[in-house]
Amino acid sequence: MRKVVMGGMLMSCCVAATAHAEFKLTPSLIIREEYNDNIDLTNENRRDDFITTIVPSLNALIDTNLLKLNLDYGLYFKLFAKHSEKDDTSLARTQRIRLDSTFNPIRDILFLKMSDVYARVPIDDRRQVGVGNDFVNTTDSNIFIANPYLVYPITSSISLTAGYTYKNTWYDDPQGQSAQDHTVTGRLTKSFGERLSIYGEYDFRTHLPKENINISITQFRTVTGAIRVGDTYIITSSIPSGESLQETGWNGYDTHTGTIGAMLQITPKLTLNGSVGKVYYRYKSGTLTGRTQYFIGATTVAEGPPVSQEYRLPDTDSLIWNAQANYLLSDRLSLEAHYSRDFTDSVNQGAYKRDTYGGSIKYNHTIETTLGGFHTKSSYETVNREDTSTGATMTARIPLGANLAANLLGNYTHYKFSPDNVTPITEKTNRYSAQAGLDYTFRIMTMGLGYTWNFNDSNVEAHDYFNNIVWLQAKLTY
């Protein structure tokens, strides 16, 4: 996977050299010291530590008619004072990459978009998650996307867009569902002046997991009466039977998606976007292998031959939609609202249907503030699981002087998790996070200090935890 990452970076740089683009390079160095009183986010047996973080990084920016590129590359070294086994010092575990580039060899007609994100991400929201704490329930992840596409003007108001997208998703943790996706897209767009455009789109996607689904089932049957074992007949009574299940890999599938949509600017301050369509999931075949074992007590006395057959999930389909409104109350204040249904892939539980509605209000002047609210319902396709979340978010940056600013962050989410094998009851969780910090900017250095608080309050007591983090850091930018 790292070959793909470096390949994308080298291709973008080669393109830049061919176009004789001017680079803007910005190296920086962050040194951070923090105290964390619950590095594992546990309810009991909490472990604390002093953690030193060193982050050398480089930003490359190119902006020309031929190429637009923004690359951030950094190494996040972490050293633990008390628990050195958790140190992150290797290249494989410390690198972070964010690449966005658009190459336009034939102006306004032929494009190549490339992006790459190498980061550490949460595995499952049902487990521990905390702002500023990425030591538990996380995995290194890389998502590389290459998207060549063509925009062909059929007339002055009608255009055809055709493209192909390659996506490579990799997770370091074995729980993660690494996969490749190949998508072919066609879109026809009709513009009615500057205020209205409508479009129709068709996508075909094939999802290829690293390992396709393979299910093995072993049934245990008791022996009653007499059974011959070698030259001896054994008399036994009935013993309760059982069954074991072993599942490896994940479900591959193809999707067909058709949508129609419109973008309408009602007034200079009010813009509406909407689409509606349908998606069809066609799952690929896997293998189901069955075997029967006969036992007396804990001893297996006979075993039947394995029997394999094709295993395939039933096909599904669903309506999808997206509606969004943006309203500019003034040059400082704006409102946004949205309601959507779509499908996406989780880190470790396959595809799921996501229904979301929410909104936000933004104030952008001397004080920069965003307040938002949301409700999301996630229904999983390949496992019996449903999650709902309702919450609010807040971010703010408040200048306190010419060089001094305060940064505030607040999150609240109420989760409702359906029963599963780990938690056989419906779990209800209130999850809180808050962060406050001060930044003081010098000519090439920014000094910062702050505090982070995480709290998880669940009706399953073992899932409760709280976490406090205090940090001091310096960032040098050249």
Side-chain angles (χ1 to χ4, degrees), residues 38-50:
N38 191 2
I39 59 175
D40 301 315
L41 297 178
T42 56
N43 185 28
E44 297 179 347
N45 301 318
R46 300 167 64 219
R47 300 193 300 169
D48 68 330
D49 214 327
F50 290 92

Side-chain angles (χ1 to χ4, degrees), residues 9-31:
M9 294 170 61
L10 289 173
M11 182 180 293
S12 298
C13 291
C14 290
V15 167
T18 303
H20 303 288
E22 293 293 331
F23 281 93
K24 179 181 178 182
L25 296 177
T26 307
S28 63
L29 175 66
I30 295 175
I31 300 176

Side-chain angles (χ1 to χ4, degrees), residues 386 415-420 423-429 458-460:
E386 183 176 281
Y415 288 101
K416 182 179 179 181
F417 301 132
S418 62
D420 60 14
T423 307
I425 64 171
T426 298
E427 182 177 3
K428 298 179 181 180
T429 296
S458 171
N459 63 329
V460 180

Side-chain angles (χ1 to χ4, degrees), residues 112-412:
L112 171 61
K113 285 190 173 183
M114 295 178 60
S115 67
D116 191 85
V117 177
Y118 192 109
R120 187 163 295 176
V121 299
I123 296 175
D124 195 330
D125 281 340
R126 290 194 171 196
R127 294 160 56 191
Q128 305 100 309
V129 176
V131 171
N133 195 322
D134 62 357
F135 313 125
V136 62
N137 184 32
T138 60
T139 177
D140 287 346
S141 164
N142 191 89
I143 299 177
F144 173 76
I145 298 174
N147 173 215
Y149 64 97
L150 175 75
V151 181
Y152 182 74
I154 299 175
T155 69
S156 60
S157 62
I158 301 176
S159 64
L160 174 66
T161 302
Y164 161 76
T165 302
Y166 168 76
K167 180 180 179 181
N168 190 312
T169 302
W170 169 83
Y171 297 106
D172 182 51
D173 194 293
Q175 298 176 75
Q177 300 185 5
S178 301
Q180 296 184 17
D181 290 273
H182 303 269
T183 306
V184 178
T185 302
R187 173 189 281 210
L188 192 64
T189 303
K190 166 67 176 176
S191 298
F192 298 88
E194 297 182 353
R195 293 192 173 186
L196 174 64
S197 64
I198 60 174
Y199 65 89
E201 182 175 309
Y202 168 76
D203 299 324
F204 170 77
R205 177 167 71 111
T206 183
H207 178 76
L208 304 173
K210 184 178 179 180
E211 295 180 82
N212 198 29
I213 194 73
N214 189 337
I215 298 176
S216 299
I217 297 176
T218 302
Q219 293 181 331
F220 301 100
R221 299 189 184 278
T222 59
V223 177
T224 58
I227 184 171
R228 183 174 180 175
V229 182
D231 295 328
T232 304
Y233 284 89
I234 299 176
I235 307 299
T236 180
S237 58
S238 177
I239 303 173
S241 62
E243 178 179 277
S244 68
L245 172 68
Q246 182 178 5
E247 182 175 323
T248 60
W250 302 280
N251 295 99
Y253 58 80
D254 296 333
T255 64
H256 300 266
T257 307
T259 56
I260 56 173
M263 293 170 282
L264 174 63
Q265 185 172 355
I266 297 178
T267 70
K269 294 185 176 183
L270 178 60
T271 304
L272 302 178
N273 295 282
S275 64
V276 63
K278 196 163 189 178
V279 59
Y280 297 84
Y281 272 75
R282 301 289 181 259
Y283 285 95
K284 299 181 184 295
S285 298
T287 303
L288 177 63
T289 303
R291 180 191 296 268
T292 302
Q293 293 181 339
Y294 299 90
F295 64 91
I296 299 175
T299 303
T300 301
V301 295
E303 187 174 86
V307 178
S308 297
Q309 66 184 55
E310 183 179 278
Y311 167 80
R312 186 170 179 267
L313 286 172
D315 297 335
T316 62
D317 59 77
S318 174
L319 287 174
I320 55 174
W321 60 79
N322 178 59
Q324 185 174 11
N326 294 275
Y327 186 69
L328 189 65
L329 290 171
S330 68
D331 59 348
R332 302 177 182 180
L333 190 63
S334 61
L335 302 176
E336 180 271 339
H338 59 271
Y339 176 44
S340 65
R341 168 181 287 180
D342 61 4
F343 284 75
T344 190
D345 293 299
S346 66
V347 174
N348 67 330
Q349 294 291 337
Y352 63 95
K353 179 173 64 177
R354 178 174 58 185
D355 291 281
T356 302
Y357 59 83
S360 65
I361 179 169
K362 295 182 180 181
Y363 181 78
N364 189 3
H365 190 48
T366 305
I367 298 176
E368 300 175 8
T369 305
T370 301
L371 300 174
F374 62 89
H375 174 81
T376 300
K377 178 181 177 181
S378 301
S379 304
Y380 287 73
E381 292 289 293
T382 60
V383 294
N384 184 22
R385 170 174 171 172
E386 183 176 281
D387 300 346
T388 61
S389 58
T390 305
T393 62
M394 181 277 292
T395 61
R397 182 172 176 83
I398 306 170
L400 301 176
N403 300 316
L404 182 64
N407 298 294
L408 303 175
L409 178 147
N411 296 324
Y412 165 73

